[in-house]
Amino acid sequence: MAANKTQPTPVSPADFIETVEHPVRREDARTLLALMSRITGWEAKMWGPSMIGFGEYHYRYESGREGDFLRTGFSPRKTSMVVYILPGYADYSDTLSWLGKHKLGKSCLYINKLADIDLSVLEELIRAGLDDMEKKYPL
């Protein structure tokens, strides 16, 4: 089976952030880079052309598909900031209710700007997501 197409690259996350055109999204990306570096203790890596990841894990599905992917991270997209907190939010509805303005995907948050959310709640969600990852995919 094919492995994950999104792989780490040698591009510096800080250099990538400086190329983000939207000034608020660029500043928010700087903030998230510092926040996630502090929370995880891991060095940030670029995954593909636009994802900044922290840590990694190896997955293997029953289908036979396997690969490596980031444990947590974010991407400053044109329409919103996407925060990847795996493996999902099924048990976090109470915490998410305190976060602020966001949209939810299967394993990610869509945030227009960090000013719309409570960063301490985001930090709690990142830590909870990492704890869940550790249970399923121990380091």
Side-chain angles (χ1 to χ4, degrees), residues 45-104:
K45 291 183 189 176
M46 289 301 300
W47 285 75
S50 63
M51 297 170 71
I52 298 171
F54 298 84
E56 63 183 82
Y57 69 101
H58 185 80
Y59 62 86
R60 181 175 291 122
Y61 298 137
E62 289 181 19
S63 67
R65 180 181 169 92
E66 66 179 294
D68 298 304
F69 204 57
L70 55 95
R71 283 189 176 257
T72 192
F74 67 95
S75 181
R77 306 284 170 128
K78 287 186 179 188
T79 58
S80 63
M81 182 70 73
V82 181
V83 182
Y84 304 101
I85 306 174
L86 305 169
Y89 290 101
D91 301 322
Y92 303 129
S93 56
D94 288 342
T95 306
L96 283 165
S97 70
W98 294 99
L99 181 62
K101 187 177 176 182
H102 70 280
K103 292 182 182 177
L104 191 59

Side-chain angles (χ1 to χ4, degrees), residues 4 16 31-32 53 68 91 122 131:
N4 190 346
F16 165 71
T31 299
L32 282 178
D68 298 304
D91 301 322
L122 179 61
D131 288 346

